Amino acid sequence: EKIMAVQVQAAPKAIFMDYENIYIEEENQLATIVINRPKKLNALNRRTIEELHVAFKELDEDAETKVIIITGSGDKAFVAGADISEFADFSVKEGRQLAAAGQRQLFDFVENLSTPVIAAINGFALGGGLELAMACHFRVASSNARMGLPEVSLGVIPGYGGTQRLPQLVGKGRAMEMIMTAGMIDSDKAFGYGLVNHVVSSEELLPFCKKIASRISNNSSVAIKHAIKAVNAGFKYDADGYSVEIDAFGTCFGTDDFKEGTTAFLEKRKADFPGS
Ligand code: COA
């Protein structure tokens, strides 16, 4: 008699929303989010911001994902800003809501994510695009990238955290000049400013980011989560970074990763972190 093969269906890993404007590539504990509206230079419309929120949330909750890279599709733009066509006729109230919702859903959300996020800036990063890159934990740029906050040329100011994060990264005077002139800087200047950590060729951009990601993923994801929290606390007006560091440091002593990390060191072997 014929034995029928029973097909065991694996439980779905996560229920992803149907993305229209982004896609995600996953490999070896690394997820790459690609913003995919190349005809609009990957401008951030409301739907894209919502999709990015869901993607970051799902990936952060997935214990397998140790590092996230975000980049733009095509070789022209990372993100050329918020989608101007969506807010051109907004009222004062709507303008305020746009900034508040965006900051909460995407920019603050990414900055405070437990999983490290690297921005791979592959072209124009303007307005909301540079603000998104600045909300990431650090940035790598391709040599053809150009960065700026052009909002005052449109009669508005950066509203997704740009007036706060740019001075944090490059210093007040440089930030003031960039914001007031609405000009763009190239990758070399951005590197000199400390806005990006590395500049590589377009072809090398993702491989280079993946190399850094793989070094990060060898380390304790729990400890990294606490480190992100402590570093960020120093930039918050209502938190004392030193106290947050003390608490986070202490918390690490109760983790399996700490036991494994210290034991492996004393046994002169490489740590294999359980991630708990
Ligand atoms: N919002 C909405 N659409 C945008 C956009 C944005 N921020 N940036 C680019 N686009 C669209 C353009 O309208 C154009 O659409 P179309 O083909 O339907 O006309 C398409 O993307 C390609 O852009 P285009 O301007 O033709 O490319 P370019 O090579 O001539 O110029 C830039 C590139 C980046 C210099 C130019 O697109 C630009 O200045 N964009 C706006 C940047 C900005 O001010 N961002 C801050 C927003 S707060």
Side-chain angles (χ1 to χ4, degrees):
E1 216 172 285
K2 233 174 159 183
I3 298 169
M4 302 284 284
V6 181
Q7 216 186 353
V8 182
Q9 268 198 323
K13 204 165 93 180
I15 300 156
F16 286 108
M17 80 188 271
D18 243 345
Y19 297 126
E20 273 173 19
N21 299 335
I22 67 170
Y23 63 88
I24 301 169
E25 289 174 346
E26 293 184 82
E27 51 179 317
N28 308 327
Q29 306 186 307
L30 162 73
T32 305
I33 301 178
V34 183
I35 304 172
N36 190 30
R37 290 180 83 209
K39 284 190 184 138
K40 294 289 173 191
L41 303 185
N42 304 320
L44 294 177
N45 60 2
R46 191 177 300 220
R47 165 124 197 154
T48 308
I49 289 180
E50 271 160 24
E51 290 186 6
L52 286 170
H53 172 80
V54 173
F56 276 114
K57 188 166 187 295
E58 300 257 6
L59 291 170
D60 194 43
E61 286 166 359
D62 174 16
E64 281 296 298
T65 305
K66 303 283 188 204
V67 182
I68 301 169
I69 294 171
I70 180 160
T71 194
S73 73
D75 52 10
K76 197 168 167 188
F78 173 73
V79 169
D83 191 323
I84 298 167
S85 65
E86 263 192 0
F87 62 74
D89 61 355
F90 271 16
S91 67
V92 169
K93 193 173 164 205
E94 286 171 313
R96 194 186 291 260
Q97 279 167 354
L98 181 74
Q103 291 196 14
R104 189 182 61 245
Q105 267 192 305
L106 184 57
F107 299 83
D108 291 353
F109 191 76
V110 168
E111 181 172 75
N112 294 307
L113 214 68
S114 308
T115 310
V117 185
I118 307 172
I121 305 175
N122 58 309
F124 289 114
L126 302 175
L130 181 56
E131 289 173 302
L132 177 58
M134 292 193 295
C136 296
H137 297 125
F138 60 91
R139 289 142 293 283
V140 178
S142 60
S143 46
N144 66 323
R146 306 196 69 195
M147 285 151 262
L149 292 178
E151 285 85 350
V152 300
S153 73
L154 297 164
V156 68
I157 70 165
Y160 287 148
T163 65
Q164 306 304 299
R165 292 192 183 100
L166 187 61
Q168 286 168 8
L169 286 164
V170 307
K172 188 174 169 185
R174 288 163 173 167
M176 284 287 198
E177 184 180 340
M178 282 180 68
I179 291 168
M180 290 175 188
T181 60
M184 294 186 206
I185 60 171
D186 64 18
S187 297
D188 288 338
K189 192 153 203 176
F191 176 74
Y193 276 10
L195 184 54
V196 303
N197 292 9
H198 309 274
V199 179
V200 296
S201 69
S202 294
E203 302 75 52
E204 269 303 300
L205 182 63
L206 283 181
F208 186 87
C209 290
K210 287 177 186 178
K211 243 183 252 166
I212 303 177
S214 93
R215 288 182 57 201
I216 293 172
S217 59
N218 288 334
N219 298 322
S220 160
S221 53
V222 184
I224 287 172
K225 173 177 89 176
H226 287 297
I228 291 171
K229 197 170 146 198
V231 171
N232 280 342
F235 293 90
K236 291 188 172 134
Y237 69 90
D238 58 349
D240 170 11
Y242 292 97
S243 306
V244 172
E245 183 183 276
I246 290 166
D247 282 346
F249 181 81
T251 304
C252 290
F253 283 69
T255 64
D256 296 331
D257 275 11
F258 177 73
K259 282 182 196 80
E260 167 60 10
T262 48
T263 306
F265 178 82
L266 295 172
E267 289 175 358
K268 299 188 190 304
R269 62 174 172 81
K270 207 168 160 284
D272 182 11
F273 290 109
S276 54

